[in-house]
């Protein structure tokens, strides 16, 4: 898997090891070091707890603004980076090596986890029973537990409509800056947290510390449904429906909703086609970043919007509908994308093997390392350290700059 965060990237190899590259001011590379001087433009391996050996047995990863999460094959969760807001889920503060997330109330350890998502200064995890657990900063109610109290240990996301305190029936989760999304077994979408730009999709801009349903754009009395996946960004959200269309809502100052406007929307709007006419279709995966999005189509092409922030086409224009990601060698549209991920100021694309038997990673945008930044696509190989046996894509991270 690959997950793009705030100036850094995580990669999960299918041998269960985790690798990272980029900016390391917060210790997010997980190699026991802090500071910009210890940033790396080449992948480094995440070490084990207390810096002993290496982190292994990992099945999922997620990069946040200044911290990272990993799920082990035993259902436990590990975290590293900045923890000043409790986002690492342990009694300490920051850690440049992985620490284990504690259980509810700080008792024992968190277990039974099937999915993870790192937000700005908080974290989400889904358990096998369909409940969602959250910890970290809660200034906007993004922990979904009915309070605005920051927590260093997990609590469940509440169901205000049931006698059962925890919401159940959740199939996927996505942590944005100060708000979160969850997809239910019925294909509907729940949202909670900050809502200043309408990113909860509830038809208003009122924040909520408990989940609310995203409304249908045709009528605010109905719930938005037929959703197969969701992605929360920096003050805006994306959803893919079962007809392969993409919908967006929330902040739109830069055109991140992909509908050729800069008007915020508190209800879902459909992302336009690459030509600005009709709708973007045949999409298999989506990822919302800080101020731009990326999507993969069934033909292996990747599309970003708006181009003011997504510079994959070597252009700094302000197109507010999707444009194609170009190959780093020929500058023609890429056609072998397997998966995509949007970060704070950069994107990652996992490409299928072509002439080489190994997949490769292409990134573009502003890559903050101790090497020279770049705005065009480059390929990460590092002597095949990372280009060999990379799994499918993971969830995206978010930026440190928040839209409330």
């Amino acid at each position: 898997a690959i997950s793009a965060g705030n100036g850094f990237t995580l990669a999960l190899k299918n041998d269960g090891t985790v690798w990272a590259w980029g900016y390391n001011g917060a210790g997010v590379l997980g190699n026991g070091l802090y500071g910009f001087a210890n940033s790396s433009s080449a992948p480094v391996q995440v070490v084990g707890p207390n810096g002993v050996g290496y982190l292994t047995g990992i099945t999922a990863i997620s990069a946040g603004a200044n911290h990272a999460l990993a799920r082990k094959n035993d259902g436990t969760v590990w975290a590293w980076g900045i923890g000043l807001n409790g986002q690492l889920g342990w009694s300490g503060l920051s850690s440049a090596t992985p620490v284990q997330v504690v259980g509810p109330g700080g008792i024992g350890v968190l277990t039974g986890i099937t999915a993870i998502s790192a937000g700005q200064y908080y974290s989400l995890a889904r358990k096998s029973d369909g409940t969602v657990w959250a910890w970290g900063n809660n200034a906007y109610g993004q922990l979904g537990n009915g309070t605005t109290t920051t927590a260093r240990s997990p609590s469940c996301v509440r169901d205000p409509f049931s006698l059962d305190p925890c919401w159940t029936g959740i199939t996927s989760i996505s942590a944005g800056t100060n708000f979160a999304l969850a997809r239910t077994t019925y294909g509907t979408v729940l949202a909670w947290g900050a809502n200043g730009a309408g990113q909860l999709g509830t038809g208003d801009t009122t924040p909520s510390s408990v989940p609310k349903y995203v409304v249908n754009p045709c009528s605010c009395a109905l719930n938005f449904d037929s959703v197969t996946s969701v992605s929360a960004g920096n003050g805006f959200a994306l959803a893919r429906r079962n007809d392969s269309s993409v919908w967006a809502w929330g902040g739109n100052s830069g055109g991140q909703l992909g509908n050729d406007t800069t008007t915020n929307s508190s209800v879902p709007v459909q992302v336009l086609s690459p030509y600005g006419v009709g709708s973007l279709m045949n999409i298999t995966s989506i990822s919302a970043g800080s101020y731009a999005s990326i999507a993969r189509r069934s033909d292996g092409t990747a599309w970003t919007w708006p181009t003011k922030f997504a510079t994959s086409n070597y252009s700094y224009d302000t197109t507010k509908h999707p444009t194609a990601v170009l190959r780093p060698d020929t500058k023609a549209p890429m056609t072998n994308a397997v998966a995509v991920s949007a970060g704070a100021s950069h994107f990652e694309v996992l490409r299928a093997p072509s002439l080489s038997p190994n997949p490769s990673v292409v990134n573009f945008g502003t890559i903050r390392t101790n090497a020279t930044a770049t705005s065009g696509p480059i390929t990460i190989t590092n002597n095949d350290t990372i280009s060999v046996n990379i799994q499918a894509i993971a969830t995206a991270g978010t930026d440190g700059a928040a839209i409330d």
Side-chain angles (χ1 to χ4, degrees):
I2 299 173
S3 186
N6 182 18
F8 73 102
T9 301
L10 300 178
L12 171 62
K13 292 179 66 175
N14 60 11
D15 63 0
T17 61
V18 181
W19 300 72
W21 61 92
Y23 178 67
N24 196 36
V28 289
L29 299 191
N31 61 349
L33 302 174
Y34 290 99
F36 179 78
N38 292 309
S39 299
S40 177
S41 58
V44 297
Q45 190 168 0
V46 174
V47 299
N50 300 312
V52 178
Y54 294 100
L55 192 63
T56 60
I58 300 303
T59 60
I61 53 175
S62 183
N66 55 19
H67 76 294
L69 299 177
R71 176 197 177 273
K72 291 197 76 169
N73 52 18
D74 60 0
T76 59
V77 181
W78 298 75
W80 60 94
I82 295 296
L84 300 179
N85 289 275
Q87 60 265 51
L88 299 191
W90 72 317
S91 58
L93 296 177
S94 303
S95 178
T97 61
V99 297
Q100 191 164 13
V101 175
V102 300
I107 300 173
V109 297
L110 189 63
T111 60
I113 298 304
T114 60
I116 52 175
S117 185
Q120 186 181 21
Y121 305 129
Y122 73 105
S123 303
L124 295 179
R126 177 193 177 275
K127 296 191 80 167
S128 56
D129 61 4
T131 58
V132 178
W133 297 76
W135 60 96
N137 185 274
N138 197 28
Y140 298 90
Q142 58 265 49
L143 300 191
N145 60 7
T147 76
T148 54
T149 303
T150 292
R152 293 188 176 276
S153 62
S155 61
C156 72
V157 173
R158 282 189 52 205
D159 183 351
F161 308 110
S162 172
L163 294 177
D164 189 332
C166 302
W167 200 300
T168 59
I170 300 302
T171 61
S172 61
I173 53 176
S174 183
T177 44
N178 294 318
F179 79 107
L181 300 175
R183 178 192 178 273
T184 73
T185 54
Y186 301 103
T188 54
V189 181
L190 299 171
W192 61 93
N195 196 29
Q199 60 263 49
L200 298 190
T202 52
D204 55 40
T205 55
T206 303
S208 179
S209 60
V210 293
K212 289 185 174 182
Y213 283 103
V214 173
V215 299
N216 193 310
C218 299
S219 171
C220 288
L222 300 174
N223 299 329
F224 190 54
D225 59 8
S226 302
V227 172
T228 59
S229 61
V230 292
S231 183
N234 180 24
F236 74 102
L238 297 180
R240 177 192 180 274
R241 301 186 87 173
N242 58 15
D243 64 355
S244 77
S245 62
V246 180
W247 297 71
W249 59 92
N252 196 31
S253 60
Q256 51 267 57
L257 301 191
N259 64 344
D260 269 348
T261 77
T262 55
T263 303
N264 295 352
S265 178
S266 60
V267 298
V269 297
Q270 197 160 5
V271 175
L272 296 177
S273 77
Y275 307 102
V277 179
S279 304
L280 185 64
M281 299 295 292
N282 301 316
I283 296 303
T284 60
S285 60
I286 52 174
S287 184
S290 282
Y291 300 102
S293 303
I294 189 167
R296 177 194 179 272
R297 226 161 52 171
S298 58
D299 61 1
T301 56
W303 302 81
T304 58
W305 66 91
T307 53
K308 177 180 180 181
F309 299 103
T311 55
S312 65
N313 61 354
Y314 298 90
S315 170
Y316 290 91
D317 63 27
T318 55
T319 300
K320 299 174 182 64
H321 57 257
T323 57
V325 174
L326 306 182
R327 291 174 55 96
D329 48 2
T330 66
K331 309 303 183 289
M334 186 182 297
T335 57
N336 59 345
V338 175
V340 293
S341 183
S345 54
H346 71 293
F347 296 85
E348 301 288 345
V349 178
L350 179 63
R351 294 196 302 172
S354 51
L355 298 178
S356 166
N358 302 318
S360 60
V361 181
V362 174
N363 59 30
F364 53 92
T366 303
I367 314 300
R368 293 199 303 163
T369 69
N370 55 1
T372 303
T374 179
S375 61
I378 59 174
T379 302
I380 299 294
T381 57
N382 192 33
N383 297 322
D384 288 336
T385 299
I386 284 300
S387 65
V388 178
N389 296 329
I390 301 176
Q391 298 179 1
I393 208 71
T395 186
T398 52
D399 191 10
I403 296 177
D404 300 334

